[in-house]
Amino acid sequence: MPLGQFQSHHENRPGVIAGFLPRDSKLLGKWLDHISQKSISAYGDQIEQGYSFLEPSVQALAFLLNEDDHLHGLVSEMIEQGWQVHQEEEPKVAYGIKSINDMLCALNYIIKHAPIFDPDLPHSAFPMSGLFVYMMWTPAGNFVFKNKLFNDALRNILDAWCEFLDSPASLSVVVTSKDGWLSEASWKANSLDQFVTKEQIEKDPVHWGYTSFNDFFHRQIIAICRPIDGPDNDRVITSANDGTVYRIARNVKLDDDFETKAQNYSLEQMLDGSPLTTRFVGGDVVQTFLSGNDYHRWRAPIAGKVVEARVVNGYMFSELYSEGFDPSAGTKSQGYEAMVNTRALIFIESESPAIGCVCIMPIGITEISSISIQVKVGDRVEKGQELGWFSYGGSSMALVFQPKAIKQFTIVNPLSDNNSNNGPFVRVGAQIAISTI
């Protein structure tokens, strides 16, 4: 694809619209070279002497690759193929990751730092996506990011980063300076007027009451900014999250081929073999994606009783190879990711037989893929009640309805082109459908 055509195509990617990627594709390579130079400068001399300086989770990955010759070869091949993808897309921009040691240094650097707010280098906010974006769409990467040993090691690294971002040490970027998340530019970009009160700032002018980076990321919103539609009308189904509509699918099958460009929903895989799965055959799925500045907590779309609630550990950086190179690091593959990624399954049984059971499925995409559920089986929840939140990272949300539960969707289904960004924005608590009587 010619560079100009690639750039035009890139600007319409969901990840660009969502804020996970810079609008200018050339900034991807610039950012990656930037993070590589920082990490090699910090650790380049040390890694030649061994891995003892690495954080325990990164050290475990290093040992895994040293002990598994086949996986070592695949990862080396993935890095080489990532360089080739980069050369095709951005031949005039330096490429930072040339070896496994480079990758280990970058991982070690990333998980010891909280992302800064940098409007000139937007990808600095999503460093793991930046690190792997070229590697994800390669023949070798197609295997590596599905490899259980590699995926488990990578999850441990992301968990370690999440632990750091939960700590007070991560507050260094939650400040009002130019590269801080409380800066004037961030206030506008992240609509902080919907989250932060005057009293909050006056009480703590430095960090505005936030205790960590993750505390800022899954910040609570001012209630009046997200009213609940039809709170006393059981027929009104509401959105579980802030997001942009990715797809509405009807008459979903129990088992379907989800590894094609159509990215069909396959309930058996999507619901991870739940005993409730058969109740949804022939039903409907609504999937939305959250931008980096959206409200990252999710709420019940109906009232009812929680009958199942759990987290399914899955992939984080696997994307559908047949979709082609995706500078948005996976947002083109959201249908596929609903079947294979780390996700939560929260089933709520309505008291209305017409609605039956609804599954709320928050889906992690790249970065930490950390999902926290705050309700448990047996809890009674009201429509609009908080169910949990995403910690730092990309995310998507699917709602699964039983057949004939939905009389009419009141949101627009995007065009069939999965690369389009023409879906409407919906706020959490807003009406998205009317149930059958």
Side-chain angles (χ1 to χ4, degrees):
M1 181 183 294
L3 189 58
Q5 185 180 350
F6 167 75
Q7 173 61 33
S8 175
H9 187 55
H10 169 78
E11 289 176 355
N12 288 317
R13 292 287 170 83
V16 175
I17 303 302
F20 295 120
L21 297 165
R23 189 165 295 278
D24 185 344
S25 64
K26 293 189 290 297
L27 291 178
L28 288 172
K30 181 180 178 182
W31 176 87
L32 185 58
D33 185 59
H34 172 76
I35 200 71
S36 174
Q37 292 301 320
K38 280 184 170 292
S39 60
I40 292 172
S41 175
Y43 312 122
D45 293 339
Q46 297 178 68
I47 202 165
E48 298 301 326
Q49 310 301 319
Y51 299 137
S52 60
F53 75 96
L54 293 173
E55 293 296 298
S57 58
V58 181
Q59 192 176 100
L61 175 60
F63 289 152
L64 169 65
L65 296 178
N66 274 355
E67 294 168 1
D68 190 324
D69 290 340
H70 177 67
L71 186 56
H72 186 282
L74 273 177
V75 173
S76 295
E77 189 176 0
M78 175 183 75
I79 292 170
E80 170 65 23
Q81 290 174 354
W83 176 82
Q84 293 172 4
V85 173
H86 172 269
Q87 288 299 101
E88 292 174 6
E89 306 296 349
E90 304 179 80
K92 295 182 180 181
V93 179
Y95 184 66
I97 306 300
K98 302 180 179 66
S99 68
I100 286 178
N101 279 356
D102 288 349
M103 182 186 75
L104 293 172
C105 285
L107 285 169
N108 205 69
Y109 184 87
I110 288 169
I111 69 170
K112 293 180 71 173
H113 294 81
I116 63 171
F117 175 79
D118 187 346
D120 296 323
L121 271 180
H123 214 74
S124 62
F126 295 90
M128 289 289 183
S129 294
L131 175 62
F132 291 129
V133 63
Y134 296 107
M135 303 178 204
M136 289 168 69
W137 187 70
T138 63
N142 190 41
F143 289 101
V144 168
F145 289 113
K146 294 178 183 177
N147 179 280
K148 186 180 186 307
L149 292 175
F150 186 86
N151 198 61
D152 287 348
L154 190 56
R155 180 182 297 109
N156 289 336
I157 292 171
L158 297 179
D159 285 346
W161 192 30
C162 188
E163 185 176 345
F164 172 78
L165 297 181
D166 278 333
S167 75
S170 64
L171 278 172
S172 60
V173 299
V174 187
V175 290
T176 57
S177 59
K178 183 179 179 182
D179 60 357
W181 290 92
L182 309 183
S183 64
E184 184 177 351
S186 177
W187 179 276
K188 295 176 182 177
N190 293 298
S191 303
L192 294 186
D193 60 307
Q194 298 181 20
F195 299 87
V196 181
T197 65
K198 180 181 178 182
E199 292 74 22
Q200 191 176 331
I201 297 173
E202 290 176 346
K203 189 173 181 180
D204 178 7
V206 179
H207 303 299
W208 297 1
Y210 296 113
T211 58
S212 67
F213 179 85
N214 265 339
D215 188 39
F216 169 77
F217 185 77
H218 49 62
R219 56 195 174 272
Q220 189 58 271
I221 202 161
I222 299 171
I224 197 172
C225 296
R226 293 297 185 275
I228 307 300
D229 288 351
D232 301 317
N233 186 344
D234 290 341
R235 294 195 62 201
V236 173
I237 311 294
T238 58
S239 175
N241 61 290
D242 274 4
T244 300
V245 179
Y246 168 75
R247 180 189 296 167
I248 300 174
R250 312 210 71 168
N251 193 26
V252 177
K253 298 179 181 178
L254 174 65
D255 188 21
D256 210 340
D257 186 356
F258 57 88
E259 296 195 70
T260 66
K261 284 183 71 68
Q263 298 185 55
N264 305 304
Y265 292 113
S266 182
L267 291 169
E268 186 67 30
Q269 288 76 25
M270 191 178 193
L271 304 182
D272 192 47
S274 166
L276 300 169
T277 299
T278 55
R279 294 180 61 179
F280 295 92
V281 176
D284 307 314
V285 174
V286 178
Q287 188 168 357
T288 57
F289 65 89
L290 290 80
S291 78
N293 59 2
D294 279 336
Y295 178 49
H296 272 73
R297 294 173 181 261
W298 8 280
R299 299 180 181 176
I302 63 166
K305 182 180 179 181
V306 178
V307 293
E308 186 176 343
R310 58 190 170 98
V311 173
V312 179
N313 283 326
Y315 302 145
M316 286 86 69
F317 290 90
S318 176
E319 63 182 7
L320 194 60
Y321 186 72
S322 61
E323 281 289 349
F325 175 58
D326 181 6
S328 63
T331 57
K332 283 177 61 180
S333 302
Q334 288 182 81
Y336 158 79
E337 289 159 346
M339 261 62 64
V340 302
N341 273 27
T342 294
R343 58 200 183 276
L345 299 174
I346 304 171
F347 294 84
I348 299 177
E349 185 76 46
S350 171
E351 294 171 356
S352 166
I355 297 175
C357 197
V358 176
C359 179
I360 298 90
M361 183 188 302
I363 305 163
I365 301 179
T366 70
E367 307 309 303
I368 290 173
S369 298
S370 179
I371 297 168
S372 299
I373 303 175
Q374 68 176 49
V375 293
K376 62 184 184 300
V377 173
D379 286 353
R380 158 80 191 186
V381 296
E382 300 299 329
K383 186 196 304 181
Q385 182 175 330
E386 190 172 296
L387 301 176
W389 60 84
F390 291 109
S391 289
Y392 190 57
S395 42
S396 187
M397 172 71 77
L399 300 180
V400 190
F401 300 94
Q402 290 186 193
K404 299 182 180 179
I406 302 300
K407 179 179 181 180
Q408 177 185 348
F409 284 103
T410 55
I411 51 175
V412 177
N413 195 7
L415 298 175
S416 58
D417 177 10
N418 290 337
N419 297 333
S420 66
N421 61 304
N422 58 359
F425 172 81
V426 291
R427 61 170 171 80
V428 63
Q431 176 179 298
I432 60 169
I434 299 171
S435 74
T436 305
I437 297 176

